[in-house]
Amino acid sequence: MPTFKGYRGFPASICTSPNSMVVHGIPGAYRVEEGDLLSVDVGVTLDGFVADSAYTFSVGTVPDSSQRLLEAGQAALEAGIAQARAGNRIGDISAAVQRATEEAGFSVVRELVGHGVGRSMHEEPQIPNFGEPGRGPLLQPGMTLAIEPMITAGQAGVYTAEDRWSIYTRDDSLAAHFEHTVAVTEDGPRILTAAKVAV
């Protein structure tokens, strides 16, 4: 029976990244505990098109400082999405994410970026989570973007573990990762990975 792997040889189907691990965690023996944060990142291909989404969950009751980090990450994502409008530029998204993060007292990871997404998981343009408004490629209707703030409670630096996938904060501070796939339309941004709740 063939062994199936994830994107570019990733050895699992989803990424699970606890606490100071920012992204690309390989599910394994780690058992989450009360007070942990757990980022879950999933990509789905359907009818030849790709969507990418991530969310950081709190496990049970978490300290107020952890809750503030989660709220800042969600606010940064919302700020970035609000700028995904035809006529704006990639830098408008980047600057909005950075501003929301830093005004809340947290840091933006600079080595990792959001990206275009469509027929492939990672397409142009790259979408840094920091930058200046009015810079970069022009946003046009029909573009589909994975906007994904990756923020930390400490410094911005990260490193890659020996497994060559898992990326951690250098100072062991907590991290949060939120992501939606967003279409740029003539009527404004449309979130393609928003959960639908049955009524």
Side-chain angles (χ1 to χ4, degrees), residues 62-131:
V62 298
D64 289 345
S65 56
S66 297
Q67 187 60 41
R68 287 195 298 272
L69 177 68
L70 297 179
E71 291 169 359
Q74 290 176 304
L77 176 60
E78 291 170 8
I81 291 171
Q83 295 300 316
R85 297 182 172 277
N88 280 357
R89 294 187 176 273
I90 290 294
D92 296 313
I93 296 172
S94 303
V97 169
Q98 181 181 10
R99 184 169 53 253
T101 301
E102 293 179 351
E103 285 180 355
F106 300 107
S107 299
V108 168
V109 174
R110 293 177 175 240
E111 288 96 328
L112 303 167
V113 298
H115 50 90
V117 62
R119 294 286 186 181
S120 300
M121 178 68 72
H122 292 97
E123 300 179 350
E124 292 298 325
Q126 293 191 354
I127 309 170
N129 290 309
F130 67 97

Side-chain angles (χ1 to χ4, degrees), residues 25 28 80 82 86 97 121 129 142 148 171 175 177 179:
V97 169
M121 178 68 72
N129 290 309
E148 52 178 320
D171 60 4
H177 177 203
E179 176 183 22

